[in-house]
Amino acid sequence: MADTDQIRTVSTKWFDIIYAEECTRSALELSEKCDSIYEELCRDYNVPANKGGKEGEPQFRIPVVVTNGTDIFNAYFTTNNFNHIVLYDTGSDDDMAVFSNQFIGTFTHELTHAVSINMRSSGARKLADIFSDNINLGSIFVMPSLIKEGAAVEYESRNGEGRLNDGFYLHTVRQAKLSGKFPGYGDVTGARSKYPAGSSAYSFGGPFVKFLREKYGPELYNKFWYNAVNGGGFTFKWSFGKTYPVSLNQAWEEFKASVSVPEIKQNPLEEENITDFFSHTVKPSVKNRRGSRYSNLTAFNDGFIYSDDSGTGVYLCRKTEAGYFRPKKLFEHSDFNSLKVSLDGRYLSVAYTALNHVNPKSRVSVYDIKKDRWIDVKEQGLREACVINSEGTYYLAAVKITGQTSSLCVFRLNEKKSSFEKVSETAFSRGDQLFSPVQAGEASAAFIYKNGLSWSVLFADSLNSDTPDFSFVRMPEDVRIRTLNPDPFSDTLSFSFVRKDSFPRAGFISFADRKNASKKSCELYFEDADVSGGVYQPVVQRFNGNASEIVYAAFFYDNGSLLVKKGLSLEKSSAPVLSYSSSEAADSEEEISDSLPYKKLYWSRGSFLILSKLSMMNFTDAGKKMNDDGVEESSVPLGVVFERNNPWDSDSVTFGVGFDVFDLYGGITLGFSGQGTTSLYEYSDTVNLLFDAKGFTQVSNKFYFSSGLRLWNNSSIVLTESNMTFVGRGEIYSLLEDAGNEDYSVDLNNYAYTVNDAGLAFSTIHKTGSGIYESSGFAIGAGIKNVGITRIDGEDPDWISGMRYNSVYPYAEIALPFLIPVSCVNNFTYNLPVRIYGALLSARKTFAYINAESVLFGYEIQRGYGMIPVYFNRILLTGGYHGQLKNENRDYEIRYLKDDLDLVDDMEYEDGVYASLFIQPGLNTGAFANSAAVLKLGLQGEYHLHGEDKGKVSLSFTMSTLF
């Protein structure tokens, strides 16, 4: 929303819709449907009556934001200070194209969160009205993502739509059972930090909630939510046990038993016609056992290209005379979403997420494989693209998303200028979606086309003209398809398809006769049997023009494989070629008659909480013993705070008061903070005003700002600035201490103090392999710290000079993915990843510091437990060396670096070698079941080589590691 200047609002019976003016049509559609959806949801959940309302009816209003600030699909519901929903007005990716009306279906999903998590009793509702919608036991302590997201996925799927009616979505839970890796309920709450990580709560939550409602009835399910939200059990398992006649363990086993899987072999390599792509045999290669997730397979004349989504690599596979492939890494890219290569293998279209904006944007660049160069496409909103070679001229056919409208944009490559120039743009009917563009003949492209819940292959001809022609072939009603790929040697396209009860399979469409006036039809071929892992993104490969085979990606519960399949068994059918014409152009300009300009800086509701955000800045031991800054911050224990934010969560304001009953001082605080949805900016600023028995004590201000920019594919630069300034006394005068101590005294002089720390860092460190710790690159940076103080009302005392300090401190870090050049088997780390960190003048009494550390062994536990709600992510054994040269640094000591280097032998050196054993646990209930909330608890043993403790062994607890 920060990207638009024109914001309007319209109110319905239950909603306040706040929308960017460019989103008027979506806001209008929402305003016409939102109330009835809300009322139906409340009836279904039989929500408790509050505020004199009726049972089973809505009990509160909800603000909904409709924004075009990003063209990356997403939406969310949050209780951040107040219940509200944010919808991104843009088309979905193909994995979320599960609704006939994507925008309204997404809204329904988020509204289900709002209804379920607010199943409050009248008393709980009153507490929320007084204090905050954040005060919610069910959301914080009880319901994990497994049930929260499961509830929304289940409800979205009630009428034949949604993810529970999509075979691609259901593949994860079915494959887990087939593979014998079906997780326990505690393993998929949302705390998992390794693939499938956060998606596992969706994959298992939806089917589990559906099972609960169907097996034990909607009444118990609604009661489950009511108990969870209103204190009927303080953990997920406890609340379940107070509701259902069976234990959670038993219900989960019953759910597992209800999951249907085909009678096929667990291991696809046991099938007669399947081999491992890398080993060329039925023996699984290490590359297919290390946890990689192969994706974005795209075919050209001499081979294909793929990516490994567990890292950032893009690989080229060319055929050899022997018929095998030799993968070659083309490049690494941290933010790409899809890849499409031209048939001649010259140009690779890369769709990626651009992060140098307040909100992420979708963009396309084209990589020239022959010349190893990049050509940026300046058009905004491009979601996917492919390069087409037509009689020696290259064209780019790209899918553009504007709100709920998809368009086909065609560009011509100007090779002299290394740029793409727009030829045409054709908008499709609102709500229609295009995916996976590929070349399909001379000056022609094909797309996956979705209209409502109908899936087709759409052909665009005459792309070299101003007005392309369109036709399409509709898939059977029960078929959903993904990812087109051309067969370079025939008029055939391959794709992956599912029926509701099937695993993903390979399908083909032969379009040789689509322009034949007497036939005007296409032949469709569908695999008639399932295989473990499914068949994703199949590419056809031919050798010497002979019988083909497909190379495809297979996905299992916690890893992926690249496999080869020969001798496919196919069902054949024929489908007519239908002409296409858009029923309308792009979104027409409409107005909402009763809408008003939105003028609020912050929303009217907020949080009123009994806690203190007030803090006091104290001189460390009255300045006689100093840390680097010379001050420490102490929190005032008691207080109240009121916080408000805008409905799109980019900015907030906090006002509070606090009081210390021990030292008898208090004050007020005022804070502002905000951030974009990318790393482009983040800021906070807080002012504290304090008083004690002597009157005014101090006024302080804390400021922080950071900005990160992406440079090239894997590089970034980050600017940070922090400042703390206070004016007044650095000590509190306490009546209680004065009355009980004859020697009690306090420095009543007023000082002006500031510490400023600014930094600039450049980094190329990025994920490069399937291992958790396999990263590569380097980072360099420098900071400048200034600590200043002066007495306002008299001469400076002697101790002040010891507090003033200025320093420039450079630092660097290196990441190596391994020391032993082997790929680790999935869930293990034993190839010795390394991190090395070094800094100069990072503290007043440190000239140089170095720390080198390696992961000696790691194991992914990734298990959760219910009775004692704990989740264990991994165990980790590290070993390292660290040391520092000690020195009494002067102001800007870096000016004397040359002299200091000559005196290094005279500096005191402290160092040691150490080993640390870490375990990473976290709570496994409610909002705490989150991979971001995992702790890193370690026991470290160190042998001191030099320094004051030379020869000694120390044992300590630690939470610090370079990894």
PDB file of all heavy atoms in Angstrom, residues 549-568:
ATOM      1  N   GLU A 549      12.441 -40.980 -24.204  1.00  0.00           N
ATOM      2  CA  GLU A 549      12.311 -41.202 -22.776  1.00  0.00           C
ATOM      3  C   GLU A 549      12.023 -39.855 -22.146  1.00  0.00           C
ATOM      4  O   GLU A 549      12.228 -38.815 -22.771  1.00  0.00           O
ATOM      5  CB  GLU A 549      13.586 -41.817 -22.200  1.00  0.00           C
ATOM      6  CG  GLU A 549      14.800 -40.893 -22.305  1.00  0.00           C
ATOM      7  CD  GLU A 549      16.086 -41.567 -21.830  1.00  0.00           C
ATOM      8  OE1 GLU A 549      16.172 -42.799 -21.937  1.00  0.00           O
ATOM      9  OE2 GLU A 549      16.989 -40.853 -21.370  1.00  0.00           O
ATOM     10  N   ILE A 550      11.532 -39.878 -20.940  1.00  0.00           N
ATOM     11  CA  ILE A 550      11.338 -38.606 -20.236  1.00  0.00           C
ATOM     12  C   ILE A 550      12.268 -38.547 -19.031  1.00  0.00           C
ATOM     13  O   ILE A 550      12.521 -39.554 -18.364  1.00  0.00           O
ATOM     14  CB  ILE A 550       9.870 -38.417 -19.788  1.00  0.00           C
ATOM     15  CG1 ILE A 550       9.427 -39.507 -18.817  1.00  0.00           C
ATOM     16  CG2 ILE A 550       8.935 -38.320 -20.984  1.00  0.00           C
ATOM     17  CD1 ILE A 550       8.104 -39.218 -18.129  1.00  0.00           C
ATOM     18  N   VAL A 551      12.795 -37.371 -18.811  1.00  0.00           N
ATOM     19  CA  VAL A 551      13.494 -37.062 -17.573  1.00  0.00           C
ATOM     20  C   VAL A 551      12.534 -36.213 -16.759  1.00  0.00           C
ATOM     21  O   VAL A 551      11.903 -35.292 -17.299  1.00  0.00           O
ATOM     22  CB  VAL A 551      14.808 -36.294 -17.829  1.00  0.00           C
ATOM     23  CG1 VAL A 551      15.523 -35.995 -16.508  1.00  0.00           C
ATOM     24  CG2 VAL A 551      15.709 -37.090 -18.759  1.00  0.00           C
ATOM     25  N   TYR A 552      12.404 -36.516 -15.478  1.00  0.00           N
ATOM     26  CA  TYR A 552      11.400 -35.810 -14.688  1.00  0.00           C
ATOM     27  C   TYR A 552      11.851 -35.671 -13.243  1.00  0.00           C
ATOM     28  O   TYR A 552      12.774 -36.365 -12.773  1.00  0.00           O
ATOM     29  CB  TYR A 552      10.055 -36.537 -14.751  1.00  0.00           C
ATOM     30  CG  TYR A 552      10.022 -37.873 -14.036  1.00  0.00           C
ATOM     31  CD1 TYR A 552       9.582 -37.968 -12.712  1.00  0.00           C
ATOM     32  CD2 TYR A 552      10.418 -39.046 -14.686  1.00  0.00           C
ATOM     33  CE1 TYR A 552       9.544 -39.191 -12.057  1.00  0.00           C
ATOM     34  CE2 TYR A 552      10.378 -40.266 -14.036  1.00  0.00           C
ATOM     35  CZ  TYR A 552       9.946 -40.336 -12.718  1.00  0.00           C
ATOM     36  OH  TYR A 552       9.916 -41.544 -12.065  1.00  0.00           O
ATOM     37  N   ALA A 553      11.213 -34.756 -12.535  1.00  0.00           N
ATOM     38  CA  ALA A 553      11.465 -34.569 -11.110  1.00  0.00           C
ATOM     39  C   ALA A 553      10.448 -35.375 -10.317  1.00  0.00           C
ATOM     40  O   ALA A 553       9.264 -35.409 -10.660  1.00  0.00           O
ATOM     41  CB  ALA A 553      11.365 -33.093 -10.746  1.00  0.00           C
ATOM     42  N   ALA A 554      10.925 -36.036  -9.277  1.00  0.00           N
ATOM     43  CA  ALA A 554      10.055 -36.756  -8.346  1.00  0.00           C
ATOM     44  C   ALA A 554      10.176 -36.089  -6.987  1.00  0.00           C
ATOM     45  O   ALA A 554      11.271 -35.673  -6.583  1.00  0.00           O
ATOM     46  CB  ALA A 554      10.456 -38.228  -8.261  1.00  0.00           C
ATOM     47  N   PHE A 555       9.045 -35.992  -6.291  1.00  0.00           N
ATOM     48  CA  PHE A 555       9.043 -35.359  -4.978  1.00  0.00           C
ATOM     49  C   PHE A 555       8.535 -36.341  -3.928  1.00  0.00           C
ATOM     50  O   PHE A 555       7.445 -36.908  -4.060  1.00  0.00           O
ATOM     51  CB  PHE A 555       8.181 -34.097  -4.980  1.00  0.00           C
ATOM     52  CG  PHE A 555       8.837 -32.945  -5.685  1.00  0.00           C
ATOM     53  CD1 PHE A 555       8.591 -32.710  -7.029  1.00  0.00           C
ATOM     54  CD2 PHE A 555       9.716 -32.109  -5.016  1.00  0.00           C
ATOM     55  CE1 PHE A 555       9.200 -31.659  -7.692  1.00  0.00           C
ATOM     56  CE2 PHE A 555      10.336 -31.062  -5.667  1.00  0.00           C
ATOM     57  CZ  PHE A 555      10.078 -30.831  -7.008  1.00  0.00           C
ATOM     58  N   PHE A 556       9.366 -36.504  -2.895  1.00  0.00           N
ATOM     59  CA  PHE A 556       9.018 -37.360  -1.776  1.00  0.00           C
ATOM     60  C   PHE A 556       8.769 -36.467  -0.559  1.00  0.00           C
ATOM     61  O   PHE A 556       8.791 -35.249  -0.666  1.00  0.00           O
ATOM     62  CB  PHE A 556      10.127 -38.374  -1.547  1.00  0.00           C
ATOM     63  CG  PHE A 556      10.436 -39.181  -2.784  1.00  0.00           C
ATOM     64  CD1 PHE A 556      11.448 -38.788  -3.644  1.00  0.00           C
ATOM     65  CD2 PHE A 556       9.677 -40.288  -3.107  1.00  0.00           C
ATOM     66  CE1 PHE A 556      11.723 -39.505  -4.799  1.00  0.00           C
ATOM     67  CE2 PHE A 556       9.933 -41.017  -4.259  1.00  0.00           C
ATOM     68  CZ  PHE A 556      10.954 -40.627  -5.111  1.00  0.00           C
ATOM     69  N   TYR A 557       8.520 -37.052   0.596  1.00  0.00           N
ATOM     70  CA  TYR A 557       8.135 -36.251   1.761  1.00  0.00           C
ATOM     71  C   TYR A 557       9.198 -35.221   2.124  1.00  0.00           C
ATOM     72  O   TYR A 557       8.883 -34.052   2.366  1.00  0.00           O
ATOM     73  CB  TYR A 557       7.850 -37.151   2.963  1.00  0.00           C
ATOM     74  CG  TYR A 557       7.674 -36.382   4.240  1.00  0.00           C
ATOM     75  CD1 TYR A 557       6.647 -35.441   4.366  1.00  0.00           C
ATOM     76  CD2 TYR A 557       8.531 -36.550   5.315  1.00  0.00           C
ATOM     77  CE1 TYR A 557       6.476 -34.707   5.532  1.00  0.00           C
ATOM     78  CE2 TYR A 557       8.375 -35.835   6.483  1.00  0.00           C
ATOM     79  CZ  TYR A 557       7.341 -34.915   6.589  1.00  0.00           C
ATOM     80  OH  TYR A 557       7.187 -34.197   7.734  1.00  0.00           O
ATOM     81  N   ASP A 558      10.478 -35.607   2.143  1.00  0.00           N
ATOM     82  CA  ASP A 558      11.502 -34.689   2.614  1.00  0.00           C
ATOM     83  C   ASP A 558      12.665 -34.530   1.654  1.00  0.00           C
ATOM     84  O   ASP A 558      13.719 -34.027   2.035  1.00  0.00           O
ATOM     85  CB  ASP A 558      12.022 -35.126   3.992  1.00  0.00           C
ATOM     86  CG  ASP A 558      12.616 -36.527   3.979  1.00  0.00           C
ATOM     87  OD1 ASP A 558      12.549 -37.196   2.924  1.00  0.00           O
ATOM     88  OD2 ASP A 558      13.140 -36.951   5.023  1.00  0.00           O
ATOM     89  N   ASN A 559      12.503 -34.958   0.399  1.00  0.00           N
ATOM     90  CA  ASN A 559      13.571 -34.758  -0.581  1.00  0.00           C
ATOM     91  C   ASN A 559      13.007 -34.954  -1.977  1.00  0.00           C
ATOM     92  O   ASN A 559      11.829 -35.271  -2.154  1.00  0.00           O
ATOM     93  CB  ASN A 559      14.731 -35.729  -0.329  1.00  0.00           C
ATOM     94  CG  ASN A 559      14.380 -37.160  -0.696  1.00  0.00           C
ATOM     95  OD1 ASN A 559      13.453 -37.735  -0.141  1.00  0.00           O
ATOM     96  ND2 ASN A 559      15.123 -37.745  -1.625  1.00  0.00           N
ATOM     97  N   GLY A 560      13.865 -34.767  -2.972  1.00  0.00           N
ATOM     98  CA  GLY A 560      13.456 -34.946  -4.353  1.00  0.00           C
ATOM     99  C   GLY A 560      14.491 -35.743  -5.122  1.00  0.00           C
ATOM    100  O   GLY A 560      15.607 -35.978  -4.653  1.00  0.00           O
ATOM    101  N   SER A 561      14.128 -36.169  -6.327  1.00  0.00           N
ATOM    102  CA  SER A 561      15.039 -36.932  -7.179  1.00  0.00           C
ATOM    103  C   SER A 561      14.833 -36.521  -8.629  1.00  0.00           C
ATOM    104  O   SER A 561      13.771 -36.014  -9.007  1.00  0.00           O
ATOM    105  CB  SER A 561      14.793 -38.436  -7.043  1.00  0.00           C
ATOM    106  OG  SER A 561      15.109 -38.907  -5.761  1.00  0.00           O
ATOM    107  N   LEU A 562      15.862 -36.762  -9.427  1.00  0.00           N
ATOM    108  CA  LEU A 562      15.784 -36.591 -10.872  1.00  0.00           C
ATOM    109  C   LEU A 562      15.878 -37.989 -11.474  1.00  0.00           C
ATOM    110  O   LEU A 562      16.879 -38.697 -11.283  1.00  0.00           O
ATOM    111  CB  LEU A 562      16.927 -35.701 -11.359  1.00  0.00           C
ATOM    112  CG  LEU A 562      16.720 -34.920 -12.655  1.00  0.00           C
ATOM    113  CD1 LEU A 562      15.487 -34.030 -12.564  1.00  0.00           C
ATOM    114  CD2 LEU A 562      17.952 -34.068 -12.956  1.00  0.00           C
ATOM    115  N   LEU A 563      14.823 -38.404 -12.194  1.00  0.00           N
ATOM    116  CA  LEU A 563      14.718 -39.776 -12.670  1.00  0.00           C
ATOM    117  C   LEU A 563      14.465 -39.824 -14.171  1.00  0.00           C
ATOM    118  O   LEU A 563      14.067 -38.826 -14.775  1.00  0.00           O
ATOM    119  CB  LEU A 563      13.589 -40.498 -11.930  1.00  0.00           C
ATOM    120  CG  LEU A 563      13.696 -40.541 -10.393  1.00  0.00           C
ATOM    121  CD1 LEU A 563      12.465 -41.186  -9.793  1.00  0.00           C
ATOM    122  CD2 LEU A 563      14.954 -41.258  -9.955  1.00  0.00           C
ATOM    123  N   VAL A 564      14.674 -40.995 -14.745  1.00  0.00           N
ATOM    124  CA  VAL A 564      14.466 -41.234 -16.173  1.00  0.00           C
ATOM    125  C   VAL A 564      13.452 -42.372 -16.320  1.00  0.00           C
ATOM    126  O   VAL A 564      13.535 -43.392 -15.634  1.00  0.00           O
ATOM    127  CB  VAL A 564      15.780 -41.620 -16.877  1.00  0.00           C
ATOM    128  CG1 VAL A 564      15.526 -41.893 -18.365  1.00  0.00           C
ATOM    129  CG2 VAL A 564      16.821 -40.526 -16.713  1.00  0.00           C
ATOM    130  N   LYS A 565      12.516 -42.169 -17.230  1.00  0.00           N
ATOM    131  CA  LYS A 565      11.449 -43.157 -17.424  1.00  0.00           C
ATOM    132  C   LYS A 565      11.328 -43.484 -18.912  1.00  0.00           C
ATOM    133  O   LYS A 565      11.251 -42.586 -19.753  1.00  0.00           O
ATOM    134  CB  LYS A 565      10.134 -42.609 -16.883  1.00  0.00           C
ATOM    135  CG  LYS A 565       9.018 -43.632 -16.729  1.00  0.00           C
ATOM    136  CD  LYS A 565       7.814 -42.984 -16.055  1.00  0.00           C
ATOM    137  CE  LYS A 565       6.799 -44.015 -15.611  1.00  0.00           C
ATOM    138  NZ  LYS A 565       5.613 -43.390 -14.977  1.00  0.00           N
ATOM    139  N   LYS A 566      11.290 -44.774 -19.228  1.00  0.00           N
ATOM    140  CA  LYS A 566      11.122 -45.224 -20.611  1.00  0.00           C
ATOM    141  C   LYS A 566       9.866 -46.086 -20.722  1.00  0.00           C
ATOM    142  O   LYS A 566       9.362 -46.594 -19.731  1.00  0.00           O
ATOM    143  CB  LYS A 566      12.334 -46.036 -21.057  1.00  0.00           C
ATOM    144  CG  LYS A 566      13.641 -45.269 -21.026  1.00  0.00           C
ATOM    145  CD  LYS A 566      14.794 -46.153 -21.460  1.00  0.00           C
ATOM    146  CE  LYS A 566      16.119 -45.388 -21.425  1.00  0.00           C
ATOM    147  NZ  LYS A 566      17.273 -46.241 -21.829  1.00  0.00           N
ATOM    148  N   GLY A 567       9.384 -46.245 -21.951  1.00  0.00           N
ATOM    149  CA  GLY A 567       8.280 -47.162 -22.194  1.00  0.00           C
ATOM    150  C   GLY A 567       7.016 -46.799 -21.450  1.00  0.00           C
ATOM    151  O   GLY A 567       6.475 -47.607 -20.685  1.00  0.00           O
ATOM    152  N   LEU A 568       6.505 -45.599 -21.667  1.00  0.00           N
ATOM    153  CA  LEU A 568       5.316 -45.138 -20.964  1.00  0.00           C
ATOM    154  C   LEU A 568       4.069 -45.840 -21.469  1.00  0.00           C
ATOM    155  O   LEU A 568       3.920 -46.079 -22.668  1.00  0.00           O
ATOM    156  CB  LEU A 568       5.148 -43.620 -21.133  1.00  0.00           C
ATOM    157  CG  LEU A 568       5.997 -42.714 -20.238  1.00  0.00           C
ATOM    158  CD1 LEU A 568       7.479 -42.847 -20.543  1.00  0.00           C
ATOM    159  CD2 LEU A 568       5.578 -41.270 -20.423  1.00  0.00           C
TER     160      LEU A 568
END
